[in-house]
Amino acid sequence: MAAAPSGIGNAQAAGQVGPKKRSRAKAPKVRTGCLTCKIRRVKCDEGKPACKRCVRFGIACDGYLQTKQEISTIEWKRNVQRIIEPKQSALAVLCRSPSTSQFTDDGEFYYFQLFSSQTAPQLSSCTQWTESQLWSQIVLQASETEPCIRHAVIAIGALDFKDWSSWVRRQDMTNPRRQVAYREYHRAILSLKQGIVENRIDLRTRVLVTLLFACFECFDGNNDEAVSQIVAGTEMVGEYLRVKATEERSHATYACPRLEESIYMTFAVAEVQAMAYGARKSNEWHVERMNNSRAAMKPLPTQFSTLQEAAQSLALIILGSCHWWLTRKNSLFSPSGGNFVTLVEGPPLPSESPISQLSVFMTEYEQWNVAFKAVWRRAKTPQGKGLFKRTALVRLFWLSGYLWFASGVSNSQVSRRFTRELEEVIHLSTTLMELPGESVIDTSFCFDTRVVLPLTTVGFAYRHRACRRRVIEIFSKMSRREGLWDTILTRKVIAWVAQLEEVGLTDEDYVPDDAVLRVTSMDSDTSTRSTLVRGVQRVRGTKSRTILRETVIYWDRTT
C-alpha cells in the first residue's frame, strides 16, 4: 500500500477507508517548519533552536519565520499575481509581484518575498533616511519585467543581513541560503549579458542592476568588485544626464525612461563610500564627476525646511569635495602607483594647493551646518522624537565629511580644535546604537553609511588617543559591515596604527607629529580573506627619515 501523504491523520495513514470525507482541520499539514527543511521540501520536526533533521545531517538550520511572515505551501503553488506589501506601512500599495510561473521553484519565490518584506526596508541610502521608495518600490517594480533584476533581488533576499559576520567567516558552501544566493547572482549576470547582446536592456535597468550587484559584492566582502560596480553605475548615471541634456536642448521626446532622483542620490552616497575606499581614476573623470555634483546642487538656504533637502544637499557637498581632493592626489602620486593614502586618512595637501577651492568647500560645510540647526533642534524636542534617528544619521554624515576635510585643510595644531566634534561622533553613534526599539544596527549589514564610517574617520584621520581607544572598544563589541566598511578589519588596522604610534607616550592627548603613521595602501585578497596593510612612519626626533611598516590582517579571525 502506498504511504499516506504528509498531514493526514494517524487512522487514515494506517489504511482505513470509508465514505467519510477527510478533514484537514483535524490534522493539518505542518507549514511552520524551519527554512532549511522548507527549501529542501522535507518534513520538519520543528525543533528549536535547530530541528533534529538539520542536526542529524550536519547542516546549518536557518531557523523559523514569525507567523505573520510565513508563506504557506498552498499559496506558493497558486499561479496568481500578488500584491507586494512592504514592511513600511506608510507606503502605498506598490506593484504586482511576478506570478509564481516566473520562478523555477518554491525557494526562489520565498526569497523574493523575503526581500520584499524584510530586506528592502533594511537597505537604505542617504535618501532612504527620508522615506525613499527605491528598494521597496522602484526595484520591485522593475523586477516584474526584467529577469536580471529579479534574479539579483532573489540573490540578495537569500543573504543573511542579521548575521553577516558568520556568513563571511564560515564560507560554508553547503548552506542552502548561500547556494541560492550564488546561483541567483550568477543567473542575474548571465541574464544581463544576454539582454545587452539582444539590445533589450535600457539604461535605467542597467543602472538598477549595477546597484544590486554592488550591494551583493559589498556583503560578500569583495570591495574591489563593489567599487567597480559603483563606478560603472555612476558613469551610466552621467551618461543618462548627458542624454537628457541633449534631448532638452533639442526639445526631443525622451528616448530613455525617467531616472528617479532617489536612484541618483543613492549612487551619490555609494560614490562617497567608493571614493573613501580609495577609488581613483584620471583627473578628467574626477573633474567631470565633481562638476556633475556641483551642477545638481541647489543654493544653500539660510535654513533647511525638510530633512530630505538637508540630506541631499549634504551628499552633493561631500561628493564634490571627495572628487576635488582626488584630483589633487593625482598630482602627488601617479594613478598606477601603489603609494596612495586612502581617503579616511584625510587629505594631506601640498602647500601650493588652491586655497580658494579649499575655502569654497569648507565654507559650504559650515554653511550647511548653520542651515541644519533648526532641523536638528526640532529633532531633539519631545515633538520631534520620531525624527531623531534619521536626523542624527544625517548629522553623523556631516560630521564625518567635515572632520575628514578639515583634517587636510588644517595643520596638526589647528586640527586639535575639533576635539568636540570627535566626541560628538562617538556620543551620537553610541546613542543611536542604544536607542530602545528599532535600532540603526538591528542587522549586522546595511548598504548605507550609518555609524561605521563616521567612527572610522575619528579613528583614522585624527590622533586623539582617548577617542581612538573608544572607537576600538566600540568596534570590538560588534561585528558589522556598512557598504564597503566593516568593524572587523577597520578595528584591527586602527589598533595596529595606535600600537606603533603610541610607543613611549605617557599622558599626551594627541599623538605627536613626528610619531604619526600614515597608511599608504590596503590590498585585499579574497581567496585568503586577508588584507596587506602598508604605511610610512616618521622616525621620532627627525624631520625627514621614515620607516616602512606593514602587516597582514585576516578578516575571519577575532584577534
Side-chain angles (χ1 to χ4, degrees):
M1 180 180 293
S6 62
I8 305 300
N10 293 334
Q12 293 171 319
Q16 294 183 9
V17 294
K20 186 177 180 180
K21 185 178 180 180
R22 296 177 181 177
S23 174
R24 299 180 66 84
K26 293 182 179 179
K29 286 187 178 181
V30 176
R31 303 183 188 118
T32 55
C34 74
L35 305 183
T36 306
C37 289
K38 282 187 176 183
I39 294 172
R40 298 178 65 223
R41 306 177 74 176
V42 296
K43 186 174 181 180
C44 179
D45 64 271
E46 300 182 57
K48 296 182 180 180
C51 74
K52 293 180 181 179
R53 182 181 291 273
C54 290
V55 172
R56 184 167 68 252
F57 285 95
I59 61 177
C61 183
D62 284 329
Y64 307 83
L65 287 180
Q66 298 296 322
T67 302
K68 64 179 181 179
Q69 296 167 334
E70 290 183 348
I71 303 170
S72 69
T73 303
I74 293 177
E75 289 176 332
W76 286 354
K77 295 182 178 179
R78 289 178 184 165
N79 188 16
V80 297
Q81 293 185 321
R82 293 168 169 79
I83 299 299
I84 297 175
E85 298 179 353
K87 189 176 181 179
Q88 297 165 319
S89 58
L91 299 179
V93 174
L94 305 176
C95 64
R96 296 165 67 85
S97 70
S99 64
T100 53
S101 61
Q102 294 179 281
F103 301 97
T104 60
D105 55 50
D106 294 342
E108 287 186 14
F109 182 68
Y110 167 73
Y111 285 118
F112 181 88
Q113 292 287 17
L114 195 65
F115 179 96
S116 304
S117 62
Q118 294 185 14
T119 308
Q122 294 165 357
L123 282 167
S124 60
S125 66
C126 180
T127 51
Q128 183 74 10
W129 301 337
T130 53
E131 305 298 342
S132 165
Q133 298 177 357
L134 171 61
W135 302 99
S136 295
Q137 177 173 335
I138 296 172
V139 168
L140 292 180
Q141 287 175 336
S143 70
E144 173 83 19
T145 56
E146 298 297 342
C148 59
I149 293 181
R150 186 165 61 255
H151 287 302
V153 164
I154 296 170
I156 294 176
L159 301 177
D160 189 357
F161 278 25
K162 290 186 177 296
D163 198 10
W164 160 80
S165 59
S166 294
W167 182 287
V168 172
R169 286 170 175 164
R170 283 203 291 261
Q171 292 295 297
D172 181 11
M173 292 306 300
T174 64
N175 184 293
R177 294 187 70 152
R178 190 183 293 274
Q179 291 176 349
V180 172
Y182 290 158
R183 182 192 69 200
E184 292 300 316
Y185 186 52
H186 180 64
R187 288 178 176 176
I189 294 173
L190 294 180
S191 179
L192 177 64
K193 289 181 177 179
Q194 182 179 355
I196 292 175
V197 170
E198 296 173 357
N199 198 29
R200 58 176 175 79
I201 302 293
D202 59 38
L203 182 58
R204 181 176 179 273
T205 299
R206 285 189 287 141
V207 169
L208 286 175
V209 78
T210 299
L211 185 64
L212 290 164
F213 286 177
C215 178
F216 188 96
E217 296 291 0
C218 281
F219 182 92
D220 211 34
N222 301 319
N223 279 7
D224 291 339
E225 289 79 3
V227 168
S228 297
Q229 294 292 341
I230 293 171
V231 170
T234 60
E235 290 176 342
M236 284 186 277
V237 171
E239 178 185 347
Y240 173 88
L241 295 175
R242 287 190 294 271
V243 170
K244 182 179 178 181
T246 301
E247 291 173 346
E248 288 178 344
R249 286 194 297 269
S250 62
H251 303 287
T253 302
Y254 289 173
C256 53
R258 181 173 64 92
L259 190 66
E260 292 84 344
E261 186 179 62
S262 59
I263 298 177
Y264 177 82
M265 293 307 303
T266 298
F267 266 106
V269 176
E271 195 175 346
V272 168
Q273 287 212 32
M275 297 304 104
Y277 183 71
R280 188 166 50 129
K281 301 191 72 173
S282 67
N283 270 8
E284 293 75 17
W285 188 87
H286 288 297
V287 169
E288 179 186 6
R289 295 299 306 150
M290 180 184 71
N291 290 338
N292 286 345
S293 65
R294 308 297 287 172
M297 278 188 62
K298 299 176 182 178
L300 285 171
T302 56
Q303 180 176 303
F304 290 117
S305 57
T306 66
L307 182 60
Q308 180 175 4
E309 180 187 17
Q312 293 181 353
S313 176
L314 175 60
L316 294 173
I317 291 173
I318 296 179
L319 182 58
S321 64
C322 287
H323 282 291
W324 177 80
W325 175 71
L326 287 171
T327 64
R328 300 302 305 163
K329 293 303 299 180
N330 280 344
S331 67
L332 298 177
F333 306 112
S334 65
S336 60
N339 190 20
F340 174 55
V341 182
T342 57
L343 203 69
V344 290
E345 279 281 8
L349 301 167
S351 57
E352 66 272 13
S353 298
I355 302 300
S356 59
Q357 189 61 59
L358 283 171
S359 301
V360 167
F361 283 115
M362 281 303 296
T363 300
E364 286 180 349
Y365 275 111
E366 291 164 358
Q367 286 178 342
W368 185 94
N369 188 38
V370 172
F372 186 68
K373 285 183 178 178
V375 178
W376 186 222
R377 280 196 300 267
R378 286 198 301 270
K380 292 189 289 185
T381 63
Q383 295 77 15
K385 185 178 180 181
L387 292 174
F388 176 77
K389 182 174 67 174
R390 286 180 286 156
T391 309
L393 286 171
V394 176
R395 174 74 179 175
L396 269 177
F397 195 36
W398 175 79
L399 282 165
S400 61
Y402 178 65
L403 284 170
W404 160 76
F405 202 73
S407 69
V409 172
S410 309
N411 60 41
S412 61
Q413 295 300 318
V414 176
S415 66
R416 299 187 181 193
R417 70 181 177 88
F418 295 106
T419 302
R420 183 178 63 181
E421 284 79 7
L422 300 176
E423 293 173 344
E424 184 180 358
V425 170
I426 296 173
H427 172 72
L428 268 183
S429 298
T430 53
T431 298
L432 287 169
M433 289 186 287
E434 295 168 359
L435 281 178
E438 188 178 353
S439 169
V440 299
I441 58 169
D442 286 341
T443 62
S444 65
F445 173 82
C446 72
F447 193 50
D448 191 12
T449 297
R450 296 190 179 178
V451 299
V452 175
L453 186 55
L455 288 170
T456 298
T457 303
V458 173
F460 264 112
Y462 290 80
R463 265 62 181 183
H464 188 283
R465 297 173 63 198
C467 288
R468 183 162 65 181
R469 285 194 298 270
R470 187 75 179 98
V471 170
I472 295 172
E473 178 186 358
I474 293 171
F475 282 178
S476 67
K477 295 179 180 179
M478 64 175 178
S479 298
R480 177 168 177 77
R481 185 174 182 87
E482 295 175 1
L484 295 164
W485 300 93
D486 69 77
T487 58
I488 298 175
L489 174 62
T490 305
R491 172 182 61 82
K492 292 179 180 181
V493 175
I494 295 175
W496 174 68
V497 171
Q499 180 183 15
L500 293 174
E501 287 184 342
E502 298 184 19
V503 173
L505 300 185
T506 54
D507 58 352
E508 295 91 334
D509 290 335
Y510 280 83
V511 173
D513 290 347
D514 62 357
V516 168
L517 187 158
R518 300 200 69 85
V519 174
T520 56
S521 65
M522 294 171 59
D523 300 321
S524 297
D525 184 345
T526 56
S527 62
T528 60
R529 318 298 287 177
S530 65
T531 299
L532 173 62
V533 185
R534 290 191 178 94
V536 176
Q537 185 176 21
R538 298 240 324 250
V539 176
R540 196 167 302 179
T542 67
K543 293 184 178 180
S544 58
R545 291 181 58 194
T546 60
I547 302 174
L548 177 65
R549 305 285 195 182
E550 66 177 42
T551 187
V552 177
I553 294 176
Y554 292 91
W555 312 343
D556 55 354
R557 298 180 186 176
T558 56
T559 57

